Every structure is written in C-alpha cells, then in structure tokens.
Amino acid sequence: MKIANAPCSWGVLEFEPKDRYPYYTEVLNEMQAIGYRGTELGDWGFLPTDSEKLRAELAERDLTLVAAFVPIPFADPWAHRLGEARALQHARLLVAAGFDTAFIVLSDDNVTVEERKENAGRILPEHGLTQEQWDTFIAGVHRVAQSVQDEMGLRTVFHHHCGGYVETPEEVDMLMQRTDPNLVGLCFDTGHYRFGGGDPFDIFDKHAERIWHVHFKDFDPEIADQALKEDWSYFMAIDGGVFCELGKGDVDFPGIIAELRNRNYDGWIVVEQDIVPGMGSPYQSAKRNFQYLNSI
C-alpha cells in the first residue's frame, strides 16, 4: 500500500471560493517534503490542466496522480450529460499526463441540497431519495462510468460523502447493490462512513470486493455529538474539526490496515483531513498524519 494525500487537506474543496486556495506549488512541495508519494487532482483548475505542465510538476517532485474527484448531481437527470462531459474532461487530462491507472472518483454534488447539508451526520429516511430518484441516480452513475471506461479506459469508483445523497450505510448499500460490480467500485472513506453513522469494519463484511480506492480520514465523536445536539450543518461540523488528525479520533486504523492486508489490497491510501481554507496548519497536520501512519 502506498500513501498519498489530497489538496482537500490544504483547504482545496470544491465548494470553497478559489481565491482562498493556497498556490498549488506550495501544496505539492509540502507533500513531497513530508514524504507522500501521490496526490489526487483536487478541484478542477487547482493543479495545471495542461497535461505536459501537470506531468512535469508532478515528476519534479516524484509524485503520482492517483485520482480525480468529480461531483455530479446524479438525482437530476438533466445533469447527467454535463456530468459525463466533466468526468471525461478529467479522464482525458489524467491519461494525457501519463496517469492511466488513476481513478475517476464520482460523488453526489454534495452540500448543494439544503436538507442534506443541514442534516449531515443525522440523516433520516425521509431525507433520502425516492425509488424513482434512485433509478435516475444509478442510471447516471452507470452512464458516466461507462463513458470513462469506453473512451479513456479508466476505472471509476464512487465516494460516499456526508452532505450528499449517499451518506448513510443504508445508502452505500443501495448504491453497491444496484451498480455493476465490474464497472463501479467503492472509494471507501473511513471518516465519512463514521460521520454517516456506520462502523467502518462493516464495510469489509458487506462490500470488501468493491473497495478499489481508500481514503483515510479520522473522526472525532465528541465533535460529532456536539454537532448532533446543536444541529450543526455540514460546514459547521467541518469548521468544528469533526475530521481530526489521524490517530486523534475513534477510527481504528491499525485494524483497518489489517483488514485491507487480509484482502490483499495493494492500492493507494489517500490521507484526507478536510479543512476549510485558513483553518489550522495544513503542513503540520499532514506531517503528523504521515508520521502516525508510519508508526503503525
């Protein structure tokens, strides 16, 4: 297993103003200095979108591009065509830059539905998709994943994510049950699964063969309890530090690593500590996260 990080650990989030982002060379330099061997693409336009420049910048730092995150509002049938075009745009860049084993990481267009944003971490059945909406959602995921595979030969995983329509364990189960296991894998995110109400170890009993890509994110149960009691939105929970540094929350990473090894997982472990721009010290947190993983 190889350890990467992602721009979101430096506050590069798709729903944040781009003028608050750090400069990409700062982020890549810090990843390299710490010892990470790979990165995800981050929000479109954060890293260079010219394939030659992207390849050169990563090669200079001995970094591999492991995945690109593409959020799409799959519950809206009118968004599928545009979502397909965006996913292919990302896929073409990955391949042109020489990273033809990278994943396209699909997700719902998180925190764009008010009810889901405001109730992240405490989703009730009435907050979910109807059967008809699920049909639309699954059709969109299949459409995009098939196009990415057919045109660029890349594999697709789906990222369950708080603040979106695939957050709870039941919603992850529905997505896995209804998607083609040869076409769509799972991007297993330990922190989002905990915040969504699940036990991360359950994922191995249910969907071990679908785990193609892994995000290591820790979860602070005390912050989550406060968020529950005070009805915090998803953004308030992030600001409050619900996704803490690795080893400081309640995710059993030694146990997770053992489960991955038992199943011969040899892919990337992408460290993600979602923060908003200006929050904390991303370099120091990323360094401590790396040291923690080395220690276990």
Side-chain angles (χ1 to χ4, degrees):
M1 290 181 280
K2 302 156 293 239
I3 303 174
N5 208 307
C8 63
S9 299
W10 277 259
V12 181
L13 299 168
E14 66 275 11
F15 34 71
E16 288 292 335
K18 291 178 172 54
D19 60 1
R20 298 184 65 196
Y21 289 172
Y23 197 58
Y24 79 87
T25 54
E26 173 189 347
V27 173
L28 295 182
N29 288 341
E30 291 185 352
M31 285 185 186
Q32 178 196 31
I34 293 167
Y36 291 102
R37 299 304 303 275
T39 182
E40 294 197 358
L41 187 66
D43 195 24
W44 181 262
F46 174 66
L47 292 183
T49 55
D50 175 85
S51 61
E52 292 297 328
K53 184 170 179 59
L54 178 61
R55 180 192 295 118
E57 293 282 9
L58 295 173
E60 180 182 332
R61 298 166 176 85
D62 195 25
L63 291 171
T64 296
L65 189 58
V66 304
F69 181 73
V70 186
I72 299 169
F74 286 109
D76 177 5
W78 300 104
H80 292 180
R81 183 176 180 181
L82 178 59
E84 178 184 19
R86 290 184 61 228
L88 286 170
Q89 178 188 46
H90 286 69
R92 291 179 190 125
L93 176 62
L94 296 179
V95 173
F99 302 103
D100 57 4
T101 61
F103 287 103
I104 292 297
V105 181
L106 297 182
S107 179
D108 189 20
D109 196 11
N110 306 301
V111 304
T112 58
V113 175
E114 192 72 13
E115 187 175 56
R116 300 294 297 208
K117 179 186 73 175
E118 293 300 318
N119 291 284
R122 51 186 185 278
I123 294 297
L124 300 174
E126 54 265 33
H127 299 144
L129 297 171
T130 66
Q131 198 60 46
E132 182 178 1
Q133 287 174 316
W134 267 115
D135 292 342
T136 299
F137 200 100
I138 298 299
V141 172
H142 279 151
R143 172 178 176 167
V144 174
Q146 191 69 61
S147 291
V148 166
Q149 182 183 84
D150 290 347
E151 180 169 328
M152 302 310 303
L154 297 187
R155 294 196 294 168
T156 294
V157 290
F158 193 95
H159 187 335
H160 57 97
H161 198 292
C162 292
Y165 275 123
V166 181
E167 172 179 328
T168 69
E170 294 77 17
E171 290 166 342
V172 175
D173 292 346
M174 177 69 78
L175 183 87
M176 290 293 96
Q177 290 162 10
R178 296 198 56 185
T179 48
D180 182 347
N182 297 311
L183 184 64
V184 181
L186 180 66
C187 174
F188 173 42
D189 186 300
T190 56
H192 278 285
Y193 201 73
R194 276 290 289 117
F195 195 16
D199 178 345
F201 288 95
D202 290 346
I203 209 81
F204 295 102
D205 295 329
K206 295 177 179 180
H207 310 299
E209 298 304 315
R210 302 292 290 278
I211 299 173
W212 299 353
H213 193 53
V214 176
H215 286 175
F216 268 13
K217 185 181 280 101
D218 212 341
F219 172 81
D220 188 324
E222 294 184 4
I223 297 296
D225 285 345
Q226 185 177 359
L228 177 65
K229 292 173 183 175
E230 299 180 13
D231 292 330
W232 288 4
S233 70
Y234 178 72
F235 290 129
M236 293 174 69
I238 295 295
D239 286 341
V242 71
F243 296 133
C244 54
E245 293 180 6
L246 302 188
K248 296 186 177 180
D250 71 358
V251 175
D252 178 5
F253 289 107
I256 296 292
I257 290 172
E259 290 285 354
L260 291 169
R261 285 181 173 149
N262 286 341
R263 289 160 174 80
N264 298 314
Y265 179 81
D266 62 355
W268 286 89
I269 299 295
V270 182
V271 176
E272 288 195 339
Q273 188 183 352
D274 295 359
I275 63 168
V276 296
M279 178 180 170
S281 174
Y283 173 77
Q284 293 299 330
S285 289
K287 185 175 181 179
R288 285 190 288 267
N289 288 333
F290 188 81
Q291 291 170 339
Y292 170 76
L293 286 181
N294 281 333
S295 76
I296 63 171

